[in-house]
Every structure is written in structure tokens, then in C-alpha cells.
Amino acid sequence: MACRISVISRHISSPPLEHLDDLGVRVAPEVRSALSSGVGVVALESTIVSHGMPYPQNFHTAQEVESIVRANGAVPATIAILDGVPCIGLSLAELERLAKLGTMVSKTARRDIPYVIARRGNGATTVSATMFFASKAGIKVFVTGGIGGVHRQGESTMDVSSDLTELGKTPVAVVCAGVKSILDIPRTLEYLETQGVTVVSYSTDEFPAFFTPNSGCKAPCRADSVEECADIIEANTKLGLGSGILIGVPIPAEHAAAAKNVESAIQSALHEAESRGIAGNSVTPFLLKRVNELTGGDSLAANIQLVKNNALVGAKIATALTTRLSRFTKSS
């Protein structure tokens, strides 16, 4: 692989969970047990549940994603803020409550965390907030659909997602289907380089573009197995770089929406958003909703499939990482 590395496995301990209790962060019993015993844990965001699709489709999809994580040897930890309490891991009832509340739940990035907690509100965590809480718990692998990035015309609007700066300062590996194709992918990759983020494409030389496997942008690094991904995560942790890792997993070809149709829908949705004065964190949900409408549901179907595929790969990476560390501990 490009940027090929080989590292010697060593024990990488998670922080004691008592400090989270002191901070008022609730860790679900299943997640707490997994972290304490060295079982792989995969963090999952909650914005995709509340803002990504309607109920009950969002609830069923969330259940399926958690099931895929478990089936591949890891424990899912969906992260959200409920009644002002940050939760790392949700019960089935809590997951359904979040799904039913939908867009009534505050979309919560890192900057919004204090406000939501102080008001004892409900917050669905975005990539940046999910990474923050995952890192606090020592969770090293996080699965999502796609990350935010530099918006088109970002050189004029300065609209850059906090996902990118979070990746620059939080040591969590984000497994996703690349950067959402509604964004400026080349500028996003440049920004990630500036932030010192290791960007890896899984089993391909090209960085994926969310709905489609191809973006036209060559990835800085390539990994061809979950073991190689685990090596990269371990090396990052061992050296204490303090930055995140972005692992782009292309959506399976059989589920990819036709790139030409998606791009046409994106352009129409962008013009509509501009004409209606939609800005800030309302832009991405609006664009995704309109693109789904304009593609006759193809983009939402692709979205669901790519999240499931990411969960499969992410769980295997988390398991590979813990298996490697367990073998080393036994031989030490």
C-alpha cells in the first residue's frame, strides 16, 4: 500500500472510565464492559438517526447498523445527549426515542455541546461531537456515513465543517464513505492535509465521493485490509500524534447511485439553497433532502447501504486492533 508501514503491536490502554462519571457522561453497561475487557468498540453518531431520514426508517436503519457491528465482533456505542446527559451507548428505547423526535433534537457539533447540556436538552451528535466523546472514552474507531468538508464556493463563504478541525486534533479513526459529494472534495482534502490528518482509501487509489466510489481525487494513502488500517491507527496512537485518521471506504458498486444523476441533482439543490437564503448548518440537511427528492430516492437508498458497509468495515478494523493488542499482551 502507499505509505505502507509495519509496527510492533503493544498495549494501548484506554483512560479509566471513572473520569467520565465525574464529568456527568453516562457510559452504557455494554460499552463500559467492552472497554474494560479490551473488546472492540465502534462509536456511532446520532445525527444520521434524527436528521438523516424519517421515522421509522431511521430507527430500523440504526438497529441494523448496530447489529452489523455486533455480528463482526465489536460493540456499538451510539452517542447522543439526552436530557442534558452525554450518553455513550444507547438502549433500544433511547434509540427509538431519538428516532421519533427526529429533527426536534438539536443537531449538535462540538461548539453546541455546552449549550445543549446546560439547557438539559436533547442533542444528536455530528461527527465532531461524536469524535470528542469517543476520544474521552478511549474509543478509537468511529463509523459514520460521510464527513463534512469545505463547501462549494468555500473560498468566498469560509464555510468549512468543524469535522475537519476535529480530525486535526482528536485521535479517533473515522470510517466513512468519503466526503459528501455536495461539497468541494479537492479543497477538503487540501484542508485535511493542512490539519495533519492521515487520509486513507480502503482497497482503492481514489478517494470515494459518498454516493459514488469515484471523486477524481487520488487518495494520499491506500490500505488493502482491515489489518493494515489497524496498523495505521496503532502507529498514530503509539506516536501520540494527537490527530485523527480518515478512512474512506467506497460504497459497493452495486449500490452506487449514478454519478451523473447525483451531480445534476446537487447542482439544482445548490442553486435552490442559494436562492432561498439557506446557510450555516441548515445547508447540508437541506441539500441531502433535495438531492434525495430529485433522484427519486436513489441517494437515500445509497446512503443507507454505504452506512451499513462502513459499519461492517469499521467493526472489523476495531476487532483487528483489539485482537492484535490481545495477542501481544499474552506474549509479553
Side-chain angles (χ1 to χ4, degrees):
M1 68 171 182
C3 298
R4 188 176 297 276
I5 61 172
S6 176
V7 296
I8 299 174
S9 294
R10 68 182 191 94
H11 180 68
I12 300 173
S13 60
S14 296
L17 296 178
E18 288 75 14
H19 79 292
L20 291 178
D21 298 334
D22 295 338
L23 294 173
V25 177
R26 196 203 73 191
V27 182
E30 182 187 21
V31 177
R32 185 181 292 269
S33 175
L35 290 170
S36 299
S37 59
V39 174
V41 177
V42 174
L44 301 168
E45 65 158 289
S46 47
T47 295
I48 194 170
V49 178
S50 62
H51 290 67
M53 57 195 79
Y55 180 83
Q57 190 175 31
N58 55 356
F59 178 52
H60 295 154
T61 300
Q63 285 182 284
E64 290 170 357
V65 168
E66 288 200 347
S67 295
I68 289 169
V69 172
R70 289 192 178 94
N72 286 278
V75 170
T78 299
I79 295 175
I81 300 173
L82 298 177
D83 301 319
V85 178
C87 301
I88 300 178
L90 302 180
S91 68
L92 193 61
E94 289 168 335
L95 196 60
E96 184 167 24
R97 176 190 174 194
L98 190 71
K100 283 182 175 179
L101 286 172
T103 55
M104 289 188 290
V105 178
S106 299
K107 185 178 178 183
T108 306
R110 170 191 269 257
R111 69 169 187 179
D112 308 306
I113 293 171
Y115 181 75
V116 175
I117 291 175
R119 292 177 63 87
R120 295 179 174 81
N122 297 313
T125 55
T126 64
V127 169
S128 63
T130 306
M131 287 183 71
F132 171 79
F133 286 118
S135 180
K136 286 289 186 185
I139 300 173
K140 301 187 183 304
V141 179
F142 161 38
V143 165
T144 185
I147 66 163
V150 179
H151 281 255
R152 301 189 190 200
Q153 288 83 50
E155 68 277 13
S156 301
T157 64
M158 295 298 291
D159 193 346
V160 179
S161 171
S162 63
D163 296 356
L164 306 188
T165 50
E166 197 67 38
L167 275 159
K169 62 189 174 189
T170 303
V172 171
V174 179
V175 180
C176 66
V179 178
K180 296 181 178 75
S181 49
I182 59 175
L183 303 170
D184 188 323
I185 297 176
R187 283 191 171 92
T188 297
L189 290 173
E190 288 290 344
Y191 198 96
L192 287 167
E193 179 184 3
T194 301
Q195 291 292 314
V197 178
T198 301
V199 178
V200 182
S201 280
Y202 185 72
S203 298
T204 180
D205 291 320
E206 193 168 340
F207 191 71
F210 195 63
F211 292 125
T212 67
N214 308 111
S215 66
C217 300
K218 182 175 173 58
C221 302
R222 171 175 175 157
D224 289 307
S225 68
V226 295
E227 289 77 18
E228 289 180 343
C229 292
D231 282 344
I232 294 169
I233 296 168
E234 185 190 10
N236 183 74
T237 306
K238 179 180 178 181
L239 293 170
L241 288 173
S243 53
I245 296 167
L246 184 63
I247 301 174
V249 180
I251 182 174
E254 63 270 25
H255 299 303
K260 185 176 180 180
N261 291 340
V262 171
E263 181 59 30
S264 175
I266 288 170
Q267 291 299 331
S268 296
L270 283 167
H271 290 310
E272 187 175 342
E274 184 178 1
S275 66
R276 292 173 58 177
I278 296 171
N281 63 7
S282 299
V283 173
T284 297
F286 171 79
L287 292 178
L288 291 176
K289 181 175 183 292
R290 283 298 291 142
V291 169
N292 181 57
E293 292 169 349
L294 293 168
T295 59
D298 284 350
S299 65
L300 178 57
N303 193 352
I304 292 171
Q305 293 301 328
L306 67 84
V307 171
K308 291 180 181 180
N309 188 56
N310 294 345
L312 171 69
V313 175
K316 289 183 176 181
I317 291 172
T319 302
L321 183 61
T322 54
T323 299
R324 178 181 284 97
L325 298 179
S326 174
R327 288 175 180 171
F328 175 76
T329 301
K330 290 178 182 178
S331 64
S332 298

